Amino acid sequence: MSQFDLTDDQLQIQEMAAKFTADAITPFAAEWDEKHIFPKDTIREAAELGFGSIYVSEESGGIGLGRLEAALIFEAMAYGCPSTSAFISIHNMVAWMIDRFGPAELKQKYLPAMITMESMGSYCLTEPSSGSDAAALKTKAVLDGDHYVVSGSKAFISGAGANDVMVAMVRTGEDGPKGISALVIEKDMPGVSFGAQEKKLGWHSQPTSQVNFDEVRVPLANRVGAEGEGFRIAMMGLDGGRLNIGACSLGGAQRCLDEAIRYTKERKQFGQPIADFQATQFTLADMETELQAARYLLYVAAAKVTANAPDKTKFAAMAKRLATDTGSSVVDRALQLHGGYGYLMDYPIERFWRDLRVHSILEGTNQIMRVIVSRDLLRQ
């Protein structure tokens, strides 16, 4: 076996995720998109396979897998619905933060219900005026006895309104990254409210809205990590989140490539299948080549994040940038190969085109990914 091959265990994980997707996600994803249905029951079925706690430690009740195994799972589920797979990815990031950095009492309080996804988690970093400049966030948490009093707003929060817990990055000290801490905030705490649901281009199978904190009293015991460690925790979480969203792009793009191959074999013009035309063959060949290149870079980056390699952040940024840009490009060409039919909702391509577009924005824009990589290069 080559060092670049998946192990037998990884292949079994991939197969299990693919079968779950084929049975429980793919047949229903178009309806979820069209009717804006958040498929909670399906998501909890995924949790029964361990997909709600992929890299939560076994000691805490998770399945304790590495980031490559997680990427295989999210890629497989995105083959059916990138939007649903991405939400499960975000939940996993929140559960991992609590498991990795939270005290024992906090883990015992929140993780059991998060592992089954009876309790769903959201990640709250972005603010209305603080996107790429995340260290400039303004949501404030003032210590008052054994509670923090939290005031501020978070924007574009996946799962908002349907979630149960949030890991929120808040300012507990000085300006800049060193003044940020992480708190677990419950949906039902007094002072928590949600804005109207955002009307989005894609990602229709998960709710998204602003979250508002109006003097919310959060127990000191709900802090994740030490005071002032929030930004570091957030960035470590994003290394994994970037891999996951890249994997979702790979899965969605693979689905569209497969659909394009099937369609071009069946669709006839000028008396022959359009797959017989060299222009079509060249397009399919480029789609496959670029997708495989992005996939293997992402797998290498996942292995580096699992191993805590010194260059893990650079590789996660490179992989996220390449996988999400490539994913969108592959889907766009698949739509073109379908001609006018690709523009119709009768075919799945337009849904993937819409869903994958946001991947080059969230978990750090692809322009910020370039900043991360170039800074690392220029430090050398």
Side-chain angles (χ1 to χ4, degrees):
M1 178 180 286
S2 160
Q3 65 176 311
F4 301 109
D5 289 334
L6 298 177
T7 66
D8 288 343
D9 286 346
Q10 289 166 343
L11 289 169
Q12 288 175 7
I13 290 165
Q14 186 181 52
E15 184 180 350
M16 177 174 67
K19 185 178 187 310
F20 174 78
T21 300
D23 294 341
I25 296 179
T26 303
F28 311 105
E31 182 182 11
W32 298 342
D33 173 75
E34 184 179 356
K35 298 180 180 178
H36 293 231
I37 295 169
F38 183 45
K40 282 189 172 184
D41 290 344
T42 303
I43 288 169
R44 287 172 179 148
E45 287 176 28
E48 291 175 11
L49 299 175
F51 296 169
S53 55
I54 296 168
Y55 34 86
V56 170
S57 64
E58 292 184 38
E59 293 76 17
S60 295
I63 58 176
L65 297 178
R67 299 305 176 126
L68 175 50
E69 289 80 10
L72 296 174
I73 291 167
F74 294 124
E75 183 180 352
M77 288 195 292
Y79 191 90
C81 181
S83 169
T84 303
S85 183
F87 174 77
I88 296 173
S89 156
I90 293 164
H91 171 92
N92 270 270
M93 179 166 64
V94 174
W96 172 80
M97 286 179 172
I98 294 172
D99 180 45
R100 175 71 173 77
F101 298 102
E105 297 79 11
L106 199 65
K107 297 180 195 179
Q108 292 165 6
K109 183 176 181 181
Y110 291 110
L111 285 180
M114 293 188 75
I115 287 166
T116 62
M117 292 191 79
E118 284 302 316
S119 176
M120 297 189 184
S122 293
Y123 176 63
C124 298
L125 175 63
T126 300
E127 296 185 358
S129 60
S130 171
S132 292
D133 187 11
L137 66 85
K138 292 181 168 55
T139 296
K140 198 165 186 180
V142 178
L143 194 58
D144 179 25
D146 59 356
H147 284 72
Y148 286 103
V149 180
V150 180
S151 295
S153 295
K154 297 292 182 177
F156 306 125
I157 303 306
S158 293
N163 56 3
D164 302 282
V165 296
M166 294 161 277
V167 171
M169 301 302 153
V170 298
R171 186 159 303 285
T172 53
E174 62 189 80
D175 289 344
K178 294 182 180 178
I180 296 171
S181 301
L183 300 178
V184 178
I185 301 178
E186 297 176 19
K187 171 186 177 180
D188 295 329
M189 286 178 172
V192 175
S193 64
F194 300 93
Q197 286 298 310
E198 304 290 359
K199 297 176 181 178
K200 300 169 293 185
L201 174 71
W203 273 29
H204 291 165
S205 77
Q206 54 164 294
T208 304
S209 79
Q210 185 165 303
V211 180
N212 305 306
F213 305 118
D214 182 10
E215 297 189 348
V216 181
R217 294 185 65 83
V218 181
L220 177 61
N222 276 33
R223 192 178 66 213
V224 180
E227 191 165 286
E229 283 190 342
F231 193 76
R232 182 177 70 88
I233 292 169
M235 293 304 104
M236 288 182 69
L238 284 176
D239 278 344
R242 287 163 182 162
L243 296 173
N244 295 346
I245 211 66
C248 288
S249 283
L250 296 176
Q254 185 65 59
R255 169 70 178 282
C256 291
L257 174 55
D258 292 348
E259 295 284 344
I261 292 168
R262 184 181 307 113
Y263 179 82
T264 56
K265 286 179 175 179
E266 296 171 354
R267 173 70 167 170
K268 291 186 177 180
Q269 292 290 277
F270 307 103
Q272 59 184 309
I274 60 175
D276 289 351
F277 295 116
Q278 196 173 59
T280 301
Q281 295 167 3
F282 283 2
T283 300
L284 292 172
D286 286 347
M287 291 160 73
E288 168 72 1
T289 302
E290 293 164 27
L291 192 55
Q292 291 289 6
R295 176 176 286 122
Y296 280 97
L297 177 59
L298 189 123
Y299 288 2
V300 169
K304 285 180 177 287
V305 171
T306 298
N308 198 30
D311 56 358
K312 68 181 189 298
T313 296
K314 180 181 79 170
F315 268 79
M318 291 192 299
K320 190 268 183 182
R321 202 287 299 166
L322 186 63
T324 55
D325 281 349
T326 300
S328 288
S329 174
V330 167
V331 173
D332 190 70
R333 280 173 282 176
L335 194 154
Q336 190 73 16
L337 287 171
H338 278 71
Y341 291 107
Y343 204 68
L344 303 181
M345 293 180 71
D346 304 82
Y347 291 78
I349 307 297
E350 61 83 30
R351 169 167 59 88
F352 284 89
W353 190 90
R354 288 185 287 105
D355 279 350
L356 264 58
R357 180 59 184 86
V358 75
H359 294 189
S360 61
I361 298 172
L362 50 81
E363 308 286 15
T365 67
N366 284 6
Q367 288 70 34
I368 292 295
M369 296 307 97
R370 291 175 171 91
V371 170
I372 291 168
V373 174
S374 61
R375 281 179 179 170
D376 186 88
L377 292 173
L378 295 170
R379 271 199 300 266
Q380 295 176 8

